[in-house]
Amino acid sequence: MRPYSLAKPLLFHLPPETAHGWIHALLGGLQRTRALSAVANRYAVRDERLATRAFGQSFPNPVGVAAGFDKNAEIPRALAALGFGFVEVGGVTAEPQAGNPRPRLFRLPEDGGLINRMGLNNHGAEVIGERLRETSVDVPVGVNVAKSEHVNPEDAPADYVRTYDAVASGGDFFVVNISCPNSQGFEELQNRESMAAIVEALVDRGARPLLVKLSPDLPEPAVDDALDIVAEFDLDGVVATNTTTTRPASLRSPNRVEEGGLSGKPIEGPSTRMVQYVAERTDVPVVGVGGVSTAEDAYRKIRAGASAVQLYTGLVYRGPSIARDINHGLLELLDRDGFDSVEEAVGVDHD
Ligand SMILES: Cc1cc2nc3c(=O)[nH]c(=O)nc-3n(C[C@H](O)[C@H](O)[C@H](O)COP(=O)(O)O)c2cc1C
């Protein structure tokens, strides 16, 4: 039996945010010891066929940690040791934020999902920027840049730039988060004018590589608008997708009534369809995120056009060996289908 199978029932007895705090503390402790290299030896899958290049970054493998798991950039080295090929920290806002009152994170075990309305709780850009500058991580680290809670949409461009300035020298790439369903006014941020103003301000400031993260709830015309902006400002990539505010009829867990963004298995299909829609209409790399918990899930997103994938909810349900398991599984799937590398499989399912 794997250690996580033993720990999971205990962890799942705790409120989800408490369990997350324990895991975080454990990984934080681990990061300060020499045991980290032993962890990397156990979990990191080193194989050239998994190596991927996208938006100027070299990823040892295409499986990354999605934004929200390490909001304050406290454990990126531990996550790299668990075999993840990159880590996106944040969302980060200009000032520290407490987020919404607890409880604000809910498990939907019957559905393999989570609902969260964290509300972008984080230590603020100054502290996180400093932490990033002090930490050396041997995989690329992205920073998810979000709008501060009390800033009006018309002041959002300056607010994003302020946050970017504080973290700029600590990140390898930057993700404009205009799709967080738990921040006030997020719907307006995704309209064409608001998004263009935010992106233009960041590009003028020299924010590169710069990616934009989209909601799975965007109707096709709005996705097309977003892709026009990606082209107009020559952005470096698209992250698809964030959580959904919709509730599929198939959900069984009583927690489906909670407000917030739904992640995990229930959004795997919709987010893969969004990856494919985006990848078929743009030349920039797409990072696929939403419901990835097995090698098959990751492979579907890669074949749909994702250059790399990320996950959060899968880590909660499958535990610390998830990156290793997905990477081993990907190698088998590549072999089965006669591909020499992950890069060869990117987008093969396009029409
Ligand atoms: C508790 C929690 C917090 C999150 N916080 C952020 C965030 O701060 N910024 C962001 O862009 N996405 C955030 N996300 C969304 C994830 O990055 C990801 O896009 C989404 O959960 C879908 O992936 P998954 O199904 O693998 O979890 C969060 C997700 C969860 C579950």
Side-chain angles (χ1 to χ4, degrees):
M1 189 181 252
R2 290 179 171 210
Y4 194 67
S5 324
L6 294 170
K8 191 172 157 184
L10 287 173
L11 286 169
F12 273 45
H13 263 295
L14 299 170
E17 203 172 337
T18 309
H20 184 81
W22 283 25
I23 295 288
H24 226 267
L26 190 74
L27 291 173
L30 186 72
Q31 200 174 253
R32 288 187 288 275
T33 72
R34 291 212 193 112
L36 204 62
S37 58
V39 172
N41 286 337
R42 187 180 157 102
Y43 289 106
V45 182
R46 298 178 176 98
D47 191 303
E48 267 312 300
R49 290 171 293 171
L50 296 168
T52 309
R53 275 194 73 78
F55 42 90
Q57 305 296 306
S58 298
F59 305 100
N61 69 70
V63 185
V65 181
F69 194 84
D70 187 13
K71 282 185 180 283
N72 295 308
E74 293 168 301
I75 53 166
R77 294 176 60 230
L79 292 168
L82 289 180
F84 287 99
F86 61 110
V87 181
E88 185 178 326
V89 302
V92 183
T93 54
E95 298 287 338
Q97 292 189 173
N100 290 320
R102 296 187 193 199
R104 52 194 181 177
L105 177 60
F106 305 88
R107 298 187 192 98
L108 287 75
E110 298 85 349
D111 307 298
L114 294 174
I115 290 178
N116 91 84
R117 50 170 183 267
M118 304 301 287
L120 289 166
N121 54 307
N122 75 101
H123 294 170
E126 295 294 337
V127 168
I128 293 172
E130 188 58 33
R131 201 169 277 149
L132 284 169
R133 284 187 288 278
E134 283 168 2
T135 316
S136 118
V137 189
D138 51 17
V139 300
V141 174
V143 185
N144 184 280
V145 179
K147 186 184 80 64
S148 304
E149 197 183 353
H150 297 300
V151 165
N152 296 323
E154 59 273 22
D155 299 324
D159 179 59
Y160 276 91
V161 166
R162 189 175 156 214
T163 302
Y164 167 73
D165 279 348
V167 296
S169 54
D172 298 308
F173 66 93
F174 303 91
V175 180
V176 198
N177 178 7
I178 47 163
S179 52
C180 175
N182 305 308
S183 76
Q184 173 232 342
F186 88 98
E187 271 148 351
E188 285 128 275
L189 297 181
Q190 293 190 99
N191 76 40
R192 194 184 179 109
E193 291 70 37
S194 303
M195 182 179 161
I198 293 163
V199 164
E200 183 171 24
L202 286 165
V203 167
D204 283 352
R205 198 68 180 182
R208 291 284 178 189
L210 188 62
L211 292 79
V212 65
K213 183 165 179 179
L214 301 179
S215 158
D217 303 336
L218 280 186
E220 280 181 8
V223 179
D224 295 340
D225 281 351
L227 295 183
D228 285 347
I229 291 168
V230 167
E232 185 182 341
F233 292 97
D234 199 17
L235 297 193
D236 301 283
V238 175
V239 182
T241 67
N242 213 312
T243 56
T244 179
T245 57
T246 66
R247 295 290 179 269
S250 59
L251 294 180
R252 288 184 297 135
S253 168
N255 276 339
R256 64 180 183 246
V257 298
E258 293 294 342
E259 255 178 52
L262 171 68
S263 58
K265 262 211 173 341
I267 70 165
E268 196 258 324
S271 95
T272 303
R273 284 194 287 282
M274 176 81 98
V275 166
Q276 177 135 0
Y277 186 87
V278 170
E280 284 177 352
R281 287 163 182 78
T282 175
D283 294 332
V284 299
V286 180
V287 176
V289 50
V292 173
S293 87
T294 64
E296 286 76 13
D297 299 334
Y299 192 52
R300 266 195 298 280
K301 279 200 171 40
I302 290 166
R303 292 182 62 115
S307 297
V309 299
Q310 294 176 310
L311 57 90
Y312 182 142
T313 307
L315 194 47
V316 171
Y317 285 99
R318 300 189 66 107
S321 66
I322 190 167
R324 180 184 66 189
D325 295 345
I326 291 179
N327 280 315
H328 279 152
L330 277 176
L331 288 170
E332 280 171 23
L333 292 165
L334 293 173
D335 254 357
R336 182 195 71 186
D337 293 349
F339 295 117
D340 288 333
S341 67
V342 165
E343 286 185 336
E344 261 186 27
V346 174
V348 292
D349 283 347
H350 286 187
D351 289 337

